[in-house]
Amino acid sequence: IRRGNVYGYNPCVRFDAVINRFMFLAHTEGRIKINGSGQQHRAFVHVDKVGHTLAALLHHEVPTGIYNLAEHNLSVNDIADILKDLYPSLERLYINQHLQMRELQVATPVAITKYLPLPERTILSELETFREAFGLS
């Protein structure tokens, strides 16, 4: 299982991951720093969906292979727009706008969901839960 960028609250939350870092900065500083134009895309999957899929693999037959696990292909600006719904006064600070950032997208829906469907939940509701986990509501 090759995961996209994993986001969401967990006991070992990684703040180097873009969504997790943006959530932290949105709450603590009221602004996020975007490298490049923000048009670069990444593939994302929520930590609970990773856990769900890995646990389901123990109990379901899935043909041997390499599977991508991602649910969203979002630009950094798309993420900032979603965060603006949670933090209406959020500011964006663009750094190194002249740099061309890499694109990292995964075709969705991913093949593993043919065997193990992902729980349905919107990214906004996942981020609302993330905010609540930090006592940020």
Side-chain angles (χ1 to χ4, degrees), residues 56-107:
L57 281 171
L58 299 172
H59 306 287
H60 294 85
E61 291 285 329
V62 176
T64 301
I66 297 171
Y67 295 95
N68 291 320
L69 181 58
E71 186 176 27
H72 311 284
N73 285 303
L74 299 170
S75 74
V76 173
N77 285 329
D78 292 337
I79 297 163
D81 290 342
I82 294 166
L83 288 179
K84 187 82 168 164
D85 291 338
L86 293 174
Y87 299 94
S89 61
L90 182 67
E91 296 179 39
R92 299 178 197 195
L93 176 63
Y94 288 88
I95 302 168
N96 298 319
Q97 292 181 40
H98 64 287
L99 295 179
Q100 183 68 28
M101 308 305 276
R102 289 188 320 158
E103 288 283 321
L104 300 169
Q105 297 188 58
V106 171

Side-chain angles (χ1 to χ4, degrees), residues 1 53 57 62-63 67-70 109-118:
I1 302 292
T53 301
L57 281 171
V62 176
Y67 295 95
N68 291 320
L69 181 58
V110 292
I112 192 77
T113 59
K114 177 178 171 184
Y115 309 102
L116 307 168
L118 294 174

Side-chain angles (χ1 to χ4, degrees), residues 7 82-83 85-86 121-129:
Y7 66 92
I82 294 166
L83 288 179
D85 291 338
L86 293 174
R121 194 153 175 229
T122 67
I123 189 169
L124 180 60
S125 70
E126 291 167 341
L127 295 180
E128 286 171 338
T129 301

Side-chain angles (χ1 to χ4, degrees), residues 13-24:
V13 65
R14 291 183 50 196
F15 289 108
D16 59 324
V18 66
I19 292 179
N20 294 348
R21 184 178 69 247
F22 279 7
M23 284 293 293
F24 179 77

